[in-house]
Amino acid sequence: MTRLEAIEADITTLAVDVIVNAANTSLMGGGGVDGAIHRAGGPDIRKDCMAIVERDGPLPTGRAVITKAGKMPAGHVVHTVGPVWGTVGEQEAVALLASCYRSSLDLARDASAASIAFPNISTGIYHFPKPLAAETAIKAVSAWVDDDPVTLESVTFVCFDRENLVLYRDLLRV
Ligand code: AR6
């Protein structure tokens, strides 16, 4: 059985097999958690990202790729691109966000990961409403682990603010 939990933390400090980055399509870093991950991990991550973009082009919204974690304690980084709130309809935004979580979990499984930590994708600079994002994330992850309850021991939702932590803890309790 996979354990789902929510904690308040800086995702760059976690010694899990995979941490997920809320990146943009260029994969060249940015602000928010993306900036923190590139700073903490060092140049190895950017090097891997550049090779991916040179090979495959920009990463479409809802998709994910995997790189090394550089100097961070995590094993790998999965980079995924969440939807920018307001640029597509609500249903499509929810579908794209759910796809970020599913694609990331698929890559974690391919990398034989037992533990993965997610930030609250799209809820910062991309302005996705936090309650809808939390509901979408938990639904997508729960459905994935229901299909495959053996691969992952733990999925951690890493909240960087109290509002998200309360939302996730409430939703995970029921
Ligand atoms: N650890 C965990 N969560 C964090 C951290 C951290 N160190 N830092 C921020 N967060 P955001 P987005 C939370 O804006 O909305 C970048 O420029 C933050 O509080 O990082 O998907 C990219 O390059 C929020 O809850 O990502 C893209 O251009 C969550 O992480 C764009 O921002 C996501 O906020 C992506 O925007």
Side-chain angles (χ1 to χ4, degrees), residues 9-12 21-25 28-37 80-83 118-128 130 158-161 164:
D10 174 353
I11 203 166
T12 65
N21 181 19
N24 60 60
T25 58
M28 289 299 104
V33 69
D34 194 10
I37 284 174
T80 188
V81 183
F118 284 99
N120 307 135
I121 301 165
S122 282
T123 67
I125 293 162
Y126 284 178
H127 291 298
F128 203 106
K130 290 176 185 178
V158 181
C159 303
F160 208 54
D161 59 80
N164 266 318

Side-chain angles (χ1 to χ4, degrees), residues 42-106:
D44 278 359
I45 298 179
R46 195 182 158 89
K47 226 187 285 170
D48 282 4
C49 286
M50 276 178 91
I52 290 167
V53 173
E54 270 165 26
R55 193 187 61 214
D56 301 333
L59 183 66
T61 304
R63 302 268 293 276
V65 295
I66 191 164
T67 69
K68 291 192 277 291
K71 294 182 285 180
M72 289 183 291
H76 288 88
V77 180
V78 163
H79 305 260
T80 188
V81 183
V84 182
W85 186 253
T87 58
V88 293
E90 183 171 323
Q91 261 192 339
E92 192 179 348
V94 166
L96 287 166
L97 187 61
S99 170
C100 288
Y101 284 89
R102 278 197 308 272
S103 309
S104 300
L105 291 164
D106 288 344

Side-chain angles (χ1 to χ4, degrees), residues 39 84 90 115 121 128 141 144-145 149 171:
R39 272 194 306 278
V84 182
E90 183 171 323
S115 52
I121 301 165
F128 203 106
V141 171
W144 193 96
V145 301
L171 288 167

